[in-house]
Amino acid sequence: MAFLSLGHLCVDLCQGALPALLPFLIAAHHWSYGQASALVLAATVSSSIVQPLFGHLSDGRSLPWLLPGGVVLAAAGIALAGVAGSYGATFAVIVASGLGVAAYHPEASRFANYVAGERRATAMSFFSVGGNAGFALGPVLVTPLALTLGLGGTPLVAVVPAAVAVLIARELGRLKGFRPSGDGAHDHAGDAAEPDQWRPFALLSAAVAARSVVYFGLMTLVPLYFVDELHASEATANTALTVMLAAGAIGTLIGGRLADRFGRRVVLRTSMAVLTPLMVLLLLGGVGVAIGALALIGAATIATFSVTVVMGQEYLPSRLGIASGVTLGLAIGFGGLGAAILGLVADATSLRTALEVVALLPLPALALALALPEGRAHVRRRPVAAHRYA
């Protein structure tokens, strides 16, 4: 799990590095904000929307080489983004980086399911927190490099992911030992006794999409709200966003343990139920109250990311790749597109109105969560080879 989480950190580091790289690209090439936004859209589509395709491919035949390969491609693309030169070349390498991210997630989530044992939600929370850390470290890594070395320093971003890819490649033999016997077209020999539950999975995916709009909407609008509505400094606005993300990382670890103890649905429903009151508190309070509310909002929202991945895998026990690709990629990608619509709402009305819309979105997600059955927490025996490394 540590190697899988480390790979997750690296691919999401590449995703987190792109927004921090945009100001340097605009300054160097005099690109418009529209061109810069198109780069972000390209990264979103290639890294999120196409994940179910990779999940489908890996469901047909497990593809463990995607683990190191995805890390390498993601790192190579973002490393070349600063030195590609033309807009077309930059666009192409960012798409390639996104495809590396998309290739890694479904296969890594599959293997995270294999190695998790009975405490799947807890184990998946460790996998997910690697991604949280990666998003946070992307700007921390790329900004000093670009400031000190210029865009010519961006290839150095790939050094750590390349080293991690080598480590994962060396661990593939060990990771393969956790696969169920007869790993072929499907993951389980007993699928006939455990049919896929597509209707609950569709409801879950819709809930994940609504939650993702809340998450990306807050990521986009909160810094602007603090500066324009609460009249706080840019530093305070960024601090508030950091508090939300840090609380989310802590919430991820706690949420996994709670889901294993009390059930996945309980954690998801509770999370969705508390978000609207917390959003109201955010909108009614001053700077201090808003930051406190954001900490709780971040913990409640991000805590369920790993839980919903496990739920998706339990609803589709013979389609782990598709389950992961949708709950980690497609639904979250739609959340990013929804956040763009919220930006248009803010332009047409006000930031407060857009955040009021965000405050209402957890309610349909809660209604969907209330309709979900508990997933089958079927226990898989691990092969003898796995026990030697346990």
Side-chain angles (χ1 to χ4, degrees), residues 59-330:
D59 281 333
R61 178 182 178 85
S62 185
L63 303 171
W65 59 268
L66 288 177
L67 299 177
V71 174
V72 168
L73 184 58
I78 201 66
L80 293 173
V83 296
S86 69
Y87 183 79
T90 304
F91 190 95
V93 296
I94 285 175
V95 168
S97 179
L99 291 175
V101 175
Y104 181 84
H105 279 90
E107 192 70 4
S109 298
R110 172 199 299 280
F111 275 92
N113 181 284
Y114 291 162
V115 306
E118 296 182 22
R119 300 174 64 191
R120 287 201 186 118
T122 299
M124 194 63 74
S125 71
F126 283 102
F127 174 74
S128 294
V129 84
N132 295 341
F135 268 112
L137 288 174
V140 173
L141 183 61
V142 75
T143 301
L145 287 174
L147 285 174
T148 56
L149 302 175
L151 288 175
T154 55
L156 294 176
V157 174
V159 172
V160 172
V164 170
V166 172
L167 290 175
I168 295 175
R170 294 182 63 180
E171 284 291 313
L172 283 183
R174 178 179 175 183
L175 286 170
K176 290 176 183 177
F178 287 90
R179 291 190 301 190
S181 58
D183 182 51
H186 303 298
D187 292 306
H188 309 289
D191 285 334
E194 297 177 0
D196 293 328
Q197 298 175 279
W198 286 100
R199 183 180 179 277
F201 180 75
L203 295 176
L204 175 68
S205 300
V208 170
R211 179 199 62 192
S212 299
V213 176
V214 172
Y215 173 73
F216 284 106
L218 289 171
M219 289 278 290
T220 304
L221 300 176
V222 158
L224 302 175
Y225 177 75
F226 268 74
V227 173
D228 295 341
E229 297 286 337
L230 298 182
H231 308 294
S233 66
E234 287 83 356
T236 301
N238 288 331
T239 298
L241 194 58
T242 301
V243 167
M244 186 186 86
L245 295 176
I250 297 171
T252 296
L253 296 175
I254 296 174
R257 292 180 179 274
L258 291 176
D260 279 331
R261 183 171 182 178
F262 299 107
R264 290 52 157 140
R265 293 182 303 171
V266 171
V267 173
L268 179 60
R269 291 168 178 175
T270 303
S271 170
M272 296 301 103
V274 302
L275 281 177
T276 294
L278 288 173
M279 283 293 302
V280 172
L281 182 62
L282 166 69
L283 292 171
L284 293 179
V287 172
V289 172
I291 291 177
L294 274 175
L296 297 175
I297 290 169
T301 305
I302 303 174
T304 58
F305 275 55
S306 60
V307 176
T308 50
V309 173
V310 173
M311 291 179 71
Q313 291 178 337
E314 290 175 352
Y315 287 142
L316 301 185
S318 69
R319 298 288 187 274
L320 297 183
I322 289 180
S324 303
V326 171
T327 54
L328 274 174
L330 182 64

